[in-house]
């Protein structure tokens, strides 16, 4: 290869090791200043970005940005590779520091020892290109850091299995609250998801006027008339109902708020999604009823409604690093709510009130853009509820459901609609050896 080397900074201030290497290179070739745009990026086949590493805490200055813009003008004939992480990108938050401009968008990022949190959240996946991890001999124990979210793996595979010695009630009874007439589809998707993931029984709690239309749509899923909070209290006298899901298609109304109040007061394992989150937003009374057996599953808009100040911190410009990240925001929200929060997105982050955190990334080889379809979040809520009914802990249920949700999309592929997710789940479980 014919190689050009560029230096950013003052050669006279280089540390000892870097200065020695610089002198060695000058015995072979020239060291060009980054500021010399006329000597950079012309007829280049490969550009290696090693300007800044994982410890960067400030934004890129005008000289580096101009250098990057000049190089990026060659995109199409130049292959861009970053060492560890794209210069200007915060390795903790995946956000661009100081400016929305970065040196380039990579074709390949080669990172050492372990993949970084910033590779998986915010702008990290879209800016990193293909991501490769290279071992450099560091001890395995050094891979974990208490302030970083773990990249999610399916750790609860054995718990998904069922035993011949048990009956349907051994695997729990999930109750999914439905919306008014004409709005029951979301709850039916959630109920189908809960049943497919292994809940022993699943019941749809429907408004009396919606009973017939729901009866025409379901078979294995049972129905119960629940028109108001009083009726829900009566239904919940059956203590075999051990997991609840509220929100999908329920509508935003006083009745929804009262149903959420009754559900939270019952202290069962509870998933709050969609309209239940909107009911929760700004209502100190409802928010105060949250308990450690709850899971909140907001997308970005719902998160901003329930936690507006935290969302504002996340949306503020990242002026220095480590920048405030989606991991930080989800942890803060979970601590405030006193329960697990699953902050949805291609970079789903799941956090508990104790600070435990996991990232379920649908990027790189697990990219699943087909999940951006109406109803997929309702199925996810159902997956979580079904696992809660089966006795999974709240963090376990959220982590496992999020992972399986993406696996279903990957198995089905293009053309996916929400109804497909529960139907493809048995094949996913079989592939996992469940």
């Amino acid at each position: 290869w014919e190689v050009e080397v560029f230096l950013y900074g003052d050669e006279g201030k280089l540390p000892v090791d870097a200065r020695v290497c610089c002198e060695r290179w000058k015995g072979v070739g020239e060291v060009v200043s980054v500021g010399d745009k006329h000597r950079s990026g012309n007829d280049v086949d490969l550009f290696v970005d090693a300007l800044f590493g994982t410890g960067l805490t400030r934004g890129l200055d005008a000289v580096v940005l101009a250098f990057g813009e000049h190089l990026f003008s060659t995109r199409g004939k130049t292959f861009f590779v970053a060492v560890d992480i794209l210069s200007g990108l915060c390795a903790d938050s995946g956000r661009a520091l100081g400016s929305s401009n970065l040196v380039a968008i990579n074709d390949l990022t080669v990172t050492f020892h372990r993949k970084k949190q910033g590779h998986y959240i915010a702008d990290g996946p879209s800016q990193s290109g293909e991501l490769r991890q290279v071992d450099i001999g560091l001890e395995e124990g050094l891979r974990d850091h208490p302030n970083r979210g773990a990249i999610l793996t399916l750790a609860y595979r054995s718990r998904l299995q069922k035993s011949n010695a048990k009956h349907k009630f051994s695997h729990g009874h999930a109750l999914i609250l439905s919306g008014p007439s004409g709005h029951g589809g979301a709850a039916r998707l959630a109920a189908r998801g809960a049943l497919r993931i292994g809940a022993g029984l699943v019941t749809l709690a429907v408004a009396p006027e919606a009973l017939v239309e729901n009866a025409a749509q379901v078979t294995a899923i049972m129905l119960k008339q629940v028109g108001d909070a009083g009726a829900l209290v009566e239904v919940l006298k059956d203590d075999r109902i051990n997991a609840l899901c509220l929100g999908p298609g329920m509508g935003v109304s006083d009745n929804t708020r009262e149903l959420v109040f009754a559900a939270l007061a019952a202290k069962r394992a509870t998933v709050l999604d969609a309209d239940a989150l909107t009911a929760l937003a700004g209502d100190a009374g409802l928010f105060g009823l949250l308990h450690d057996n709850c899971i909140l599953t907001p997308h970005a808009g719902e998160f901003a409604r329930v936690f507006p100040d935290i969302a504002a911190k996340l949306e503020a410009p990242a002026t220095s690093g480590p920048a405030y990240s989606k991991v930080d925001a989800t942890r803060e929200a979970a601590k405030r709510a006193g329960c697990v929060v699953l902050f949805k997105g291609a970079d789903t982050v799941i956090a508990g009130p104790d600070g435990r955190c996991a990232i379920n990334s649908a990027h790189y080889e697990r990219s699943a853009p087909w999940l951006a379809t109406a109803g997929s979040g309702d199925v996810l809520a159902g997956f979580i509820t079904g696992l809660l009914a089966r006795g999974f802990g709240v963090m376990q249920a959220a982590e496992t459901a999020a992972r399986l949700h993406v696996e279903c999309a990957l198995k089905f592929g293009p053309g996916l609609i929400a109804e497909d997710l529960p139907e493809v789940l048995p094949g996913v479980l079989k592939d996992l050896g469940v």
Side-chain angles (χ1 to χ4, degrees):
W1 290 78
E2 182 182 340
V3 178
E4 272 190 298
V5 173
F6 300 94
L7 173 66
Y8 173 68
D10 185 345
E11 187 177 326
K13 294 181 179 178
L14 288 174
V16 174
D17 288 348
R19 186 168 64 249
V20 169
C21 289
C22 183
E23 291 300 325
R24 285 177 178 171
W25 179 258
K26 288 169 73 174
V28 178
E30 185 180 4
V31 175
V32 184
S33 170
V34 162
D36 186 359
K37 293 192 294 181
H38 301 295
R39 295 293 306 280
S40 61
N42 297 316
D43 300 319
V44 170
D45 298 304
L46 172 67
F47 173 68
V48 179
D49 169 16
L51 279 169
F52 296 102
T54 57
L56 184 68
T57 59
R58 58 185 172 85
L60 304 182
D61 66 20
V63 172
V64 177
L65 288 173
F67 176 72
E69 289 170 3
H70 179 66
L71 281 171
F72 200 60
S73 67
T74 69
R75 186 157 186 86
K77 65 178 182 179
T78 302
F79 191 82
F80 289 83
V81 180
V83 174
D84 250 334
I85 197 162
L86 174 68
S87 288
L89 201 65
C90 173
D92 290 278
S93 67
R95 302 176 67 189
L97 293 176
S99 171
S100 60
N101 297 314
L102 296 167
V103 167
I105 298 175
N106 288 329
D107 295 296
L108 172 67
T109 298
V110 180
T111 192
F112 303 105
H113 179 54
R114 68 188 297 274
K115 295 169 183 174
K116 312 307 185 277
Q117 184 171 288
H119 290 137
Y120 286 96
I121 55 177
D123 299 322
S126 64
Q127 299 283 347
S128 296
E130 184 180 349
L131 182 63
R132 297 279 186 88
Q133 178 179 315
V134 177
D135 182 27
I136 53 173
L138 295 179
E139 295 178 20
E140 188 68 24
L142 297 176
R143 290 182 181 273
D144 298 320
H145 189 289
N147 292 323
R148 293 197 178 103
I151 307 303
L152 186 62
T153 58
L154 193 62
Y156 310 111
R157 186 180 290 107
S158 63
R159 296 224 36 210
L160 290 164
Q161 296 172 343
K162 286 190 172 184
S163 168
N164 288 333
K166 294 185 177 181
H167 54 79
K168 61 188 178 185
F169 279 105
S170 302
H171 299 290
H173 186 174
L175 184 72
I176 315 287
L177 274 76
S178 182
S181 181
H183 297 273
R188 290 194 296 270
L189 286 169
R192 188 77 172 179
L195 196 62
R196 279 291 190 196
I197 212 161
L201 302 90
V202 177
T203 295
L204 268 175
V206 302
E209 70 274 11
L211 182 64
V212 173
E213 67 184 69
N214 278 287
Q217 298 286 336
V218 298
T219 304
I221 296 164
M222 300 182 293
L223 295 172
K224 200 80 171 177
Q225 291 189 58
V226 175
D228 54 30
L232 178 59
V233 170
E234 287 299 313
V235 169
L236 292 179
K237 288 180 178 178
D238 182 352
D239 58 13
R240 294 176 299 182
I241 298 173
N242 62 337
L244 310 176
C245 177
L246 294 89
M250 286 183 68
V252 180
S253 65
D254 289 340
N255 192 47
T256 294
R257 181 194 173 280
E258 291 163 6
L259 287 166
V260 173
F261 187 96
L264 292 175
K267 301 294 183 182
R268 310 284 169 90
T270 302
V271 178
L272 297 182
D273 185 41
D275 295 331
L277 293 170
T278 301
L280 192 70
D283 191 319
L286 278 183
F287 199 90
L289 284 175
L290 293 172
H291 51 82
D292 60 7
N293 218 13
C294 291
I295 300 177
L296 311 184
T297 59
H299 56 54
E302 291 159 349
F303 188 93
R305 286 195 285 274
V306 180
F307 306 101
D309 57 324
I310 299 176
K313 286 167 64 176
L314 184 59
E315 292 168 5
T319 56
S320 62
Y324 193 75
S325 72
K326 189 172 182 178
V327 166
D328 297 320
T330 310
R331 277 184 165 138
E332 187 173 348
K335 184 176 181 180
R336 179 181 300 178
C339 66
V340 168
V341 174
L342 184 151
F343 191 171
K344 290 188 285 196
D347 57 350
T348 291
V349 178
I350 306 159
D354 60 355
R356 179 181 170 184
C357 183
I359 301 168
N360 184 59
S361 171
H363 295 110
Y364 308 112
E365 71 280 359
R366 298 190 72 244
S367 178
W370 318 289
L371 281 172
T373 184
S376 66
D378 302 316
V379 176
L380 175 61
F383 281 178
I384 298 170
T385 308
L387 292 174
L388 290 173
R390 294 188 60 182
F392 277 59
V394 284
M395 194 73 182
Q396 291 178 340
E399 291 177 355
T400 305
R403 178 77 183 197
L404 291 173
H405 194 240
V406 173
E407 294 296 330
C408 288
L410 292 172
K411 188 171 183 67
F412 191 94
L416 175 81
I417 59 174
E419 288 95 323
D420 299 320
L421 290 165
E423 307 318 305
V424 80
L425 179 60
V428 168
L429 295 175
K430 185 176 181 180
D431 291 345
L432 291 171
V434 174

